[in-house]
Amino acid sequence: MKFSDFGKRFHGYSGITHLMDDLAEGLAQPGVIMLGGGNPATIPEVEMVFDRVLGELHDAGGLMETLANYDAPQGKGAFLETLAGFFQEQYGWNITSKNIALTHGSQSAFFILFNSFAGKSGNATRRVLIPLVPEYIGYCDVGIEADILTSQQARIAHRDDGFFKYQVDFENLQVDDSIGLICVSRPTNPSGNVLTDDECSQLDQIARTHDVPLLIDSAYGTPFPNIIFDPVTPFWNDNCIVCMSLSKLGLPGARTGIVIANEDVISYFSNMTAITSLAPAGIGAAIVNQLIIERELLPLCDDLIRPFYKARAELAVALLRASIDDPRLHIHKPQGAMFLWLWFEGLGVTSTELYQRLKRRGLLVVPGKYFFPGQDVDTNRHAESCLRMNYVQSEQELAKGVEILARELRNCW
Ligand SMILES: Cc1ncc(COP(=O)(O)O)c(C=O)c1O
């Protein structure tokens, strides 16, 4: 078979494929402690709510109606109307349903958006600027052309509470006409960092000055799933593209992402959906539409989902501090999402080697180097001294995982 350049580009083994393979391998092996993936936790009270709503939809005929019909390329009309009203009410955002489109998960939205604003443009090549790395592994390989990403490594601020926090290094951030899109996740996967309101405003200013959109990936953000522990102001204006998702609410199988942008971008986006996949999935939209109408969505997030993850984050930090009493362990302040980001200063092996050793002992995590899109990780000491672990597993699993990590570190420092 002869692949085209496009085909060849996606033929290789990417970071995200590696992660998904490990997730599958981890899930398939009994006894392995899976602190590697990004699957949301099983929270029985939350699943009961989804079960109930599915039952109600079934009884009222809405489930069959959703499954038996294509929605419009922009997504289920009733849900778009409900969402527009919801954002107006919650945040006073001046939007209508024409500012919202649904996608097959937000990951597929990044593929469309990155390649729509970056890549070959006439004689020039435009790039996606990631103003703070470490950043989400899922951005690394979505460019149809290679090398469409450029990024700036974060500044490190050590805090009085014993954590460290990444900050955008505005002094060294290089923005010129070759930039086509600026992209951040807030909260950030992998570090649990949450960009401050001031950082968002500055990035917004930079984006406007250069006439490029600012993409804010809010997969873990407000108002849903609201896995964010310190209050910050949600950010949107007509130069922003905010991507949300139903996955971290607990519905990753529904494959539903939500894009909020100006009408031009949304109409373009709907065209792309029609061409690439006809219409987005409708089942997640039907469930969450009902939850919003019945005013159940926010209590679900605020009273069940956020407290669950906050408690798990605190537990994981306590376990790490108790087992690894070493000043060379630095933990990023967990401000949201579902991961702890650990920096082992002066680690004697690479993060990939540490990962392999932990895997042999039955613990799966993700090596730090995958989270530095747009950087040369082979020469990046910081990237090779970090790893990401999730805190979605049970207390017992977390405790076992941390014990394995503590034991192996004794051989690596
Ligand atoms: C920061 C971030 N954005 C987006 C996604 C993709 O979510 P989905 O495609 O399921 O909506 C993830 C998944 O882990 C993520 O961590």
Side-chain angles (χ1 to χ4, degrees):
M1 267 187 283
K2 288 183 187 137
F3 281 93
S4 66
D5 287 352
F6 175 92
K8 285 181 201 141
R9 165 93 185 105
F10 294 102
H11 211 61
Y13 196 62
S14 71
I16 191 93
T17 318
H18 185 186
L19 178 62
M20 295 313 273
D21 280 355
D22 261 356
L23 183 64
E25 193 182 323
L27 289 174
Q29 283 177 23
V32 167
I33 298 166
M34 183 53 180
L35 307 187
N39 209 73
T42 303
I43 309 175
E45 297 88 336
V46 174
E47 290 197 339
M48 271 163 56
V49 173
F50 293 140
D51 253 357
R52 201 205 67 231
V53 172
L54 272 172
E56 288 168 7
L57 283 171
H58 178 261
D59 294 347
L63 188 58
M64 202 57 223
E65 192 188 317
T66 290
L67 292 173
N69 291 288
Y70 287 114
D71 285 326
Q74 195 185 335
K76 195 179 283 304
F79 185 47
L80 300 178
E81 292 295 339
T82 303
L83 275 176
F86 180 70
F87 291 124
Q88 285 160 12
E89 186 183 305
Q90 283 300 308
Y91 300 141
W93 287 353
N94 184 20
I95 61 171
T96 71
S97 56
K98 290 186 181 158
N99 296 107
I100 308 174
L102 305 188
T103 72
H104 296 279
S106 47
Q107 185 67 28
S108 70
F110 306 140
F111 184 79
I112 292 178
L113 292 167
F114 278 30
N115 289 301
S116 302
F117 291 102
K120 270 216 172 74
S121 177
N123 290 332
T125 297
R126 308 192 94 196
R127 292 202 158 79
V128 177
L129 171 65
I130 298 180
L132 182 152
V133 290
E135 247 301 0
Y136 174 46
I137 192 171
Y139 302 148
C140 293
D141 295 303
V142 293
I144 289 175
E145 288 156 50
D147 298 331
I148 67 160
L149 302 180
T150 177
S151 64
Q152 174 59 49
Q153 185 145 336
R155 272 190 3 207
I156 294 172
H158 288 282
R159 298 164 46 106
D160 294 341
D161 56 10
F163 294 107
F164 77 98
K165 178 167 162 61
Y166 288 130
Q167 297 173 335
V168 180
D169 185 353
F170 285 104
E171 270 169 35
N172 289 308
L173 192 64
Q174 292 191 357
V175 194
D176 57 28
D177 288 348
S178 70
I179 301 303
L181 177 75
I182 300 178
C183 174
V184 293
S185 63
R186 188 189 196 221
T188 308
N189 170 2
S191 59
N193 190 32
V194 175
L195 292 182
T196 62
D197 292 347
D198 186 53
E199 284 174 318
C200 277
S201 300
Q202 288 196 59
L203 290 174
D204 180 49
Q205 267 314 317
I206 293 171
R208 285 171 179 282
T209 306
H210 291 269
D211 194 22
V212 300
L214 171 64
L215 193 167
I216 301 179
D217 171 2
S218 188
Y220 302 89
T222 51
F224 53 83
N226 206 15
I227 311 176
I228 184 161
F229 310 140
D230 302 329
V232 289
T233 315
F235 205 86
W236 186 81
N237 57 48
D238 67 359
N239 193 53
C240 282
I241 304 174
V242 172
C243 291
M244 296 185 180
S245 170
L246 301 188
S247 296
K248 311 304 171 175
L249 262 183
L251 298 173
R255 304 310 299 130
T256 309
I258 299 164
V259 180
I260 307 172
N262 67 42
E263 291 185 19
D264 244 16
V265 171
I266 293 302
S267 125
Y268 166 82
F269 206 93
S270 305
N271 264 341
M272 286 295 277
T273 300
I275 293 163
T276 55
S277 63
L278 302 184
I283 194 71
I287 296 171
V288 174
N289 192 39
Q290 180 148 335
L291 285 173
I292 294 179
I293 289 170
E294 291 177 358
R295 297 198 170 264
E296 283 193 82
L297 183 63
L298 291 184
L300 187 79
C301 298
D302 299 348
D303 303 340
L304 294 175
I305 295 175
R306 180 177 50 191
F308 173 91
Y309 286 106
K310 189 162 192 301
R312 281 289 160 88
E314 285 165 3
L315 171 73
V317 168
L319 289 167
L320 282 160
R321 295 237 195 269
S323 307
I324 309 171
D325 181 18
D326 191 307
R328 293 170 298 178
L329 165 67
H330 305 281
I331 305 176
H332 191 282
K333 167 92 178 153
Q335 298 185 295
M338 45 181 71
F339 311 101
L340 284 186
W341 179 252
L342 311 179
W343 167 27
F344 309 109
E345 198 172 4
L347 192 68
V349 298
T350 63
S351 66
T352 315
E353 170 64 21
L354 176 60
Y355 159 78
Q356 293 293 354
R357 290 178 182 217
L358 293 172
K359 196 171 165 189
R360 286 198 288 275
R361 287 181 180 263
L363 169 64
L364 280 178
V365 292
V366 186
K369 74 165 189 185
Y370 287 114
F371 300 95
F372 288 77
Q375 298 276 311
D376 177 6
V377 278
D378 292 336
T379 55
N380 189 322
R381 190 92 183 89
H382 186 67
E384 282 290 16
S385 318
C386 295
L387 65 77
R388 186 195 80 176
M389 60 173 269
N390 72 43
Y391 44 78
V392 301
Q393 305 300 346
S394 68
E395 289 187 32
Q396 293 82 346
E397 300 272 289
L398 278 176
K400 264 197 250 166
V402 168
E403 197 187 304
I404 294 174
L405 175 63
R407 225 179 312 135
E408 190 54 49
L409 277 172
R410 282 181 216 130
N411 306 322
C412 297
W413 249 328

